[in-house]
Amino acid sequence: MEALQQILKTQGTNVTTIDLEFKSIENLEELLPQLANFSNLKELNLHGNRLVYLPDDLSLLDTVEVLDISNNIFSDLGQVVDALSTMPNLIHLEITIQSKEEEQFILECLSNLQILNSQKVNGKLEGADETQEQQSEQQSERSISAVQDITLQQYDLEQMAILYDSIREYKKEDQEDKQFDQQIRTIMLDLQSKLKQNNPDHLTNLYILTAKFNLYEICFKSIIKHFKVNDKHLDVIITKIHDMHLQIFNDMSNVILNIKPQSKNTSQIIENNKQINQSQQGDKTVENRLRQELSELQQQNTELEKENKRYLDLLIKHSKGDRSSLPNSEHVIKQQNDSYQSQNYTKNHQQQQNNAIFQSKQTQNLNSVPQQINVRHLKLKQLKDVINEIYESKQKFDQKCTESKLPRETMEQHMYSFLNQKYGLKSLIIEWATSIINALKKYSAEDNDVAVFGKILRNECDEEFRFVQTQVKNTMQELLKMYLRGKFPLKHQAEIKEMLNQRINGQLYEEEAVDIIKYMYNQEDSELLLNKLKSYYIVPHKNPDRRLTREEQLSLLQEKDKYKLEYSVFQKIILDFQLKSHEKYLKKFIITFKQMDTDANGIIDENEFRNLIDVLNFGAGDLEIEKYLNIIDPYSHQQITFSQCVTLFSSESVPGSNGQIQILQKISEQ
């Protein structure tokens, strides 16, 4: 578009405001790539164009905070609002709306909006008092119709534009487009400036009527201009009619301008204002009382948290002092667990309980300090079920923390939060925590999922890695399915699926395992894995107790020399290889992080984070560090977890020897 090209030439890409008002734009999708070049764009004006819809994805406009799309010809408000919801930083919107219901719909869908149609948005629509709601409604409707029954709506502009297009088609001229857009812009800007003034209703109506009249004057003058050249006789007649109408309108306007508002209305307004002020004073009294009660409740809650913390410390000390009752557990709860329990155990959960119940529970828990802990011996399936429950709970809790702008927990912290929420009693919490830790020690070498969870608890692996392992499992199954389809092209889908299930739940052939490994890994890794598989292959020996058919004999002959491998063993070898590779990749980072994490709880503050970056020495300046802090700890909670650091350094890149590389990759290569 010429206007954007001109801005690029004259002002460059650092402009913060772009005005595309009345540019006859019909499709915004074509302009998005150009608009994305303006990396500092904050305000975009698309007022008075011919947009029927918006592109479904407007995330390219991620810096835009103020958007004006009023006086366009949108056909579906729902589509427009869905598109606007993809703009992450949009806080100020100007849009033509037809009713209070549409305004409410926009506010519900675009929760980040602070200003709608030049009016501040109340954060809680339900809590606004009646007077504020009336004022908001009046202001919103004024933006489209100047409050009164006499309106100038989008429909009027559309009808006038259609009429003008018909005249232009009749005249067969295309030279007046720019002049037409400029005239409309002048009329609408004049009307907007007048509507912003605090005028009486009769003057507001007059200004709207004048604007409508002037809009149709554009059409009138265009047709008169045509007849002046082509039909002078008709020109005289139409000009006379036009002049008479203009005189009548001007006389009416003068009459309206001379009307004075009645004094009764003024006195009524003053009386209404007094009532509003009294109502507001009453609301402030209620608000102050509620604030005071809230402050008292918060103080009580703080005291209860401290008391509960003391009880929990007592429980932990008691459980440590009675270690003779735990024959199968050398270290029931590690020093990291103690640190978390004494500092963070009750922070995020006890606030939700009723104070009276909370106090009674504390008394009960104090009296029920366990003299001996019964250690449960969990089976592998039971342990994996508990792990999956903790994973699911952690994922939901992280989402709530993001929505509530709260700091995240480590997996270790959340394990205790989960057990507290599920069981409540401290004796049961310690019992289950001990059982889980013992089971992790027992089954880590046997099952990869258990090993990954244990390393996440010890902050030796990031929480996101479990999703990588899940993807590896799915990839192995998909590759096996592809292999079977290629080998048995004539078999139906159901037969292929049955063969796949048989192999997953039983054994697969050497050639199938080799094909999967060579597809997934490079030559060096493939050879390493294939050598490891050799010690796990088995040769099936069949001793049939009946006479075989010729087809069965042929099949047995073909398979007798084929090596097989348990699929569960094959999967574990692949997953263990992935885990060891990931540990090697993170090794230097883990060592440095533990040096910064002096209390060994998997959490560092801002100063420790800055020291971490200095020690890792991957070339980050002050601006980059501030950027990282804004991503990882935007609300300055001073609680940055190990997994958050790994996720950040995996997604951010820095210059490397061969271009941009991930920060973690650069750290591992140093």
Side-chain angles (χ1 to χ4, degrees):
M1 187 178 181
E2 293 182 5
L4 289 177
Q5 294 296 332
Q6 186 65 26
I7 293 172
L8 275 172
K9 288 180 181 178
T10 57
Q11 303 178 50
T13 59
N14 290 325
V15 296
T16 58
T17 302
I18 292 180
D19 187 359
L20 299 177
E21 191 177 29
F22 295 110
K23 297 295 183 184
S24 300
I25 300 171
E26 297 179 353
N27 186 355
L28 187 60
E29 199 146 16
E30 300 171 356
L31 301 180
L32 275 181
Q34 298 181 51
L35 290 170
N37 292 328
F38 299 92
S39 56
N40 294 323
L41 182 60
K42 299 293 183 186
E43 183 173 351
L44 178 60
N45 186 359
L46 296 169
H47 172 86
N49 285 285
R50 298 180 183 176
L51 295 172
V52 180
Y53 69 97
L54 291 178
D56 292 335
D57 186 4
L58 293 173
S59 57
L60 287 175
L61 305 178
D62 56 343
T63 60
V64 175
E65 298 176 355
V66 181
L67 178 65
D68 187 349
I69 52 172
S70 57
N71 287 331
N72 279 277
I73 51 176
F74 296 120
S75 58
D76 183 357
L77 181 63
Q79 189 275 329
V80 172
V81 172
D82 287 342
L84 293 175
S85 66
T86 63
M87 297 177 65
N89 291 314
L90 181 63
I91 58 175
H92 181 167
L93 176 64
E94 298 290 326
I95 183 172
T96 302
I97 49 180
Q98 307 295 334
S99 65
K100 181 65 178 176
E101 287 73 24
E102 290 186 354
E103 178 189 357
Q104 231 170 351
F105 171 72
I106 292 172
L107 292 176
E108 289 172 358
C109 295
L110 304 178
S111 57
N112 291 333
L113 276 187
Q114 298 177 12
I115 300 176
L116 176 62
N117 291 336
S118 302
Q119 299 301 316
K120 288 186 178 179
V121 174
N122 191 344
K124 295 183 179 179
L125 294 174
E126 297 176 359
D129 58 42
E130 186 177 356
T131 304
Q132 289 175 327
E133 186 174 344
Q134 290 173 351
Q135 290 174 350
S136 175
E137 182 176 355
Q138 289 175 353
Q139 294 289 355
S140 177
E141 291 178 353
R142 171 162 289 203
S143 67
I144 57 169
S145 61
V147 185
Q148 306 302 313
D149 293 335
I150 298 174
T151 62
L152 176 57
Q153 299 181 353
Q154 184 66 28
Y155 176 80
D156 299 314
L157 293 174
E158 293 171 12
Q159 292 302 309
M160 194 277 293
I162 292 170
L163 179 60
Y164 186 85
D165 287 339
S166 300
I167 294 171
R168 191 175 56 186
E169 187 179 347
Y170 172 76
K171 292 165 60 177
K172 297 180 180 178
E173 293 180 5
D174 295 322
Q175 301 176 355
E176 297 180 319
D177 276 359
K178 291 184 178 178
Q179 187 179 359
F180 171 71
D181 290 338
Q182 185 59 40
Q183 288 173 327
I184 292 179
R185 180 176 182 178
T186 303
I187 293 168
M188 296 306 295
L189 287 175
D190 179 65
L191 176 61
Q192 286 177 1
S193 65
K194 289 178 178 177
L195 291 181
K196 288 179 181 178
Q197 303 169 4
N198 190 17
N199 295 308
D201 292 341
H202 66 285
L203 288 182
T204 300
N205 290 333
L206 174 61
Y207 295 147
I208 295 172
L209 287 172
T210 303
K212 291 176 87 170
F213 181 88
N214 290 335
L215 288 171
Y216 282 95
E217 267 289 274
I218 299 172
C219 299
F220 220 145
K221 287 180 179 179
S222 178
I223 199 70
I224 289 175
K225 183 179 178 182
H226 174 72
F227 286 129
K228 218 166 237 192
V229 177
N230 298 299
D231 192 337
K232 293 189 177 181
H233 180 67
L234 191 56
D235 168 58
V236 172
I237 297 172
I238 294 178
T239 302
K240 195 171 286 188
I241 295 171
H242 167 264
D243 291 342
M244 290 300 295
H245 273 274
L246 179 60
Q247 185 61 44
I248 293 170
F249 182 83
N250 288 337
D251 291 341
M252 268 175 138
S253 299
N254 290 331
V255 171
I256 295 172
L257 282 171
N258 291 325
I259 294 176
K260 293 183 179 179
Q262 297 179 3
S263 59
K264 287 184 179 180
N265 291 342
T266 304
S267 62
Q268 184 65 38
I269 290 171
I270 294 172
E271 184 63 29
N272 288 342
N273 285 336
K274 287 182 180 179
Q275 293 178 2
I276 290 170
N277 289 334
Q278 291 174 358
S279 174
Q280 289 177 343
Q281 289 175 357
D283 290 341
K284 285 182 179 179
T285 304
V286 174
E287 182 183 353
N288 291 334
R289 189 176 71 251
L290 290 174
R291 285 183 182 278
Q292 186 177 357
E293 291 178 1
L294 177 61
S295 177
E296 292 174 357
L297 287 172
Q298 288 175 338
Q299 187 175 358
Q300 291 176 11
N301 192 56
T302 303
E303 292 173 358
L304 289 170
E305 282 185 0
K306 291 179 180 178
E307 189 176 355
N308 194 57
K309 177 182 169 183
R310 289 197 301 271
Y311 295 152
L312 184 56
D313 288 341
L314 179 62
L315 284 167
I316 295 168
K317 290 176 183 177
H318 193 91
S319 64
K320 284 189 170 184
D322 197 14
R323 293 176 62 163
S324 60
S325 64
L326 303 176
N328 297 323
S329 175
E330 294 182 2
H331 300 287
V332 178
I333 310 292
K334 294 187 177 182
Q335 183 179 359
Q336 296 175 356
N337 302 355
D338 299 338
S339 173
Y340 164 64
Q341 288 175 329
S342 63
Q343 294 175 13
N344 299 305
Y345 179 72
T346 58
K347 179 187 288 185
N348 296 317
H349 299 277
Q350 300 300 334
Q351 292 176 357
Q352 302 172 359
Q353 299 182 9
N354 179 275
N355 287 340
I357 297 175
F358 186 82
Q359 288 173 319
S360 66
K361 271 198 169 188
Q362 286 181 325
T363 305
Q364 176 188 351
N365 292 339
L366 181 62
N367 294 331
S368 61
V369 173
Q371 298 300 317
Q372 183 172 352
I373 299 176
N374 296 319
V375 180
R376 297 170 182 267
H377 299 285
L378 299 178
K379 294 183 179 179
L380 178 59
K381 185 179 183 307
Q382 291 176 310
L383 176 62
K384 294 185 74 170
D385 288 342
V386 173
I387 290 173
N388 289 330
E389 284 185 60
I390 295 172
Y391 278 152
E392 186 179 346
S393 173
K394 179 71 161 64
Q395 199 165 0
K396 291 178 181 177
F397 183 76
D398 286 347
Q399 181 64 32
K400 288 180 181 178
C401 286
T402 302
E403 293 170 357
S404 305
K405 302 176 182 178
L406 295 172
R408 282 176 56 175
E409 292 180 335
T410 64
M411 188 64 74
E412 182 187 21
Q413 288 175 332
H414 190 74
M415 180 178 75
Y416 288 103
S417 299
F418 168 79
L419 294 174
N420 176 63
Q421 189 175 15
K422 188 170 184 179
Y423 299 109
L425 292 175
K426 305 303 178 290
S427 56
L428 285 175
I429 294 168
I430 296 175
E431 178 183 324
W432 271 95
T434 305
S435 302
I436 291 172
I437 291 171
N438 285 342
L440 288 174
K441 292 177 182 178
K442 181 179 179 181
Y443 296 115
S444 286
E446 181 180 335
D447 188 273
N448 182 266
D449 292 337
V450 174
V452 169
F453 182 72
K455 290 184 180 295
I456 292 174
L457 280 184
R458 297 191 297 273
N459 297 307
E460 295 173 1
C461 181
D462 55 294
E463 296 172 21
E464 305 301 318
F465 184 69
R466 71 182 192 271
F467 300 118
V468 175
Q469 296 294 72
T470 301
Q471 184 60 44
V472 170
K473 294 176 188 176
N474 295 337
T475 302
M476 290 169 60
Q477 294 183 14
E478 284 299 318
L479 290 175
L480 181 56
K481 184 193 283 188
M482 288 170 56
Y483 179 88
L484 294 174
R485 281 178 181 169
K487 188 174 181 180
F488 305 103
L490 300 180
K491 288 188 179 292
H492 294 295
Q493 184 71 19
E495 293 176 294
I496 295 292
K497 187 175 181 180
E498 184 180 352
M499 291 174 67
L500 177 66
N501 289 333
Q502 287 175 354
R503 280 159 172 74
I504 291 173
N505 297 317
Q507 300 171 341
L508 75 164
Y509 291 108
E510 177 187 11
E511 59 190 33
E512 296 167 347
V514 170
D515 185 79
I516 292 172
I517 288 175
K518 287 186 175 181
Y519 191 93
M520 290 178 65
Y521 298 100
N522 59 32
Q523 184 176 353
E524 182 182 350
D525 292 341
S526 296
E527 290 176 359
L528 184 66
L529 285 166
L530 291 174
N531 285 332
K532 195 164 189 177
L533 290 180
K534 288 180 180 179
S535 58
Y536 294 96
Y537 285 128
I538 53 177
V539 180
H541 296 285
K542 295 183 179 179
N543 297 314
D545 55 358
R546 63 178 178 83
R547 189 181 182 89
L548 300 177
T549 64
R550 291 183 182 276
E551 184 179 356
E552 289 174 334
Q553 290 176 356
L554 179 61
S555 176
L556 183 62
L557 185 65
Q558 290 174 343
E559 293 182 6
K560 71 176 182 178
D561 295 326
K562 286 187 178 181
Y563 288 95
K564 285 188 175 183
L565 177 69
E566 292 289 340
Y567 186 86
S568 58
V569 174
F570 174 65
Q571 178 176 269
K572 184 178 183 302
I573 291 171
I574 298 294
L575 294 178
D576 286 347
F577 178 79
Q578 288 287 137
L579 179 57
K580 287 180 180 177
S581 300
H582 191 62
E583 284 183 284
K584 184 178 178 182
Y585 184 65
L586 293 178
K587 183 177 179 181
K588 184 173 180 181
F589 175 78
I590 292 171
I591 293 171
T592 310
F593 184 91
K594 288 186 175 181
Q595 291 172 353
M596 301 299 113
D597 183 19
T598 54
D599 53 0
N601 65 350
I603 295 175
I604 58 177
D605 58 23
E606 181 178 333
N607 290 332
E608 291 170 333
F609 180 76
R610 290 178 182 274
N611 293 336
L612 174 69
I613 292 178
D614 288 340
V615 174
L616 292 173
N617 191 27
F618 53 81
D622 290 340
L623 288 177
E624 285 81 5
I625 294 174
E626 288 299 329
K627 173 189 169 185
Y628 300 152
L629 283 169
N630 190 46
I631 295 171
I632 204 168
D633 188 21
Y635 304 105
S636 192
H637 292 300
Q638 303 296 317
Q639 295 187 46
I640 302 170
T641 68
F642 171 83
S643 290
Q644 282 179 299
C645 290
V646 174
T647 301
L648 174 70
F649 293 151
S650 298
S651 59
E652 294 295 323
S653 58
V654 292
S657 56
N658 296 319
Q660 294 288 324
I661 60 173
Q662 291 179 352
I663 294 175
L664 274 179
Q665 184 178 345
K666 185 165 184 176
I667 294 169
S668 66
E669 291 174 356
Q670 290 177 348

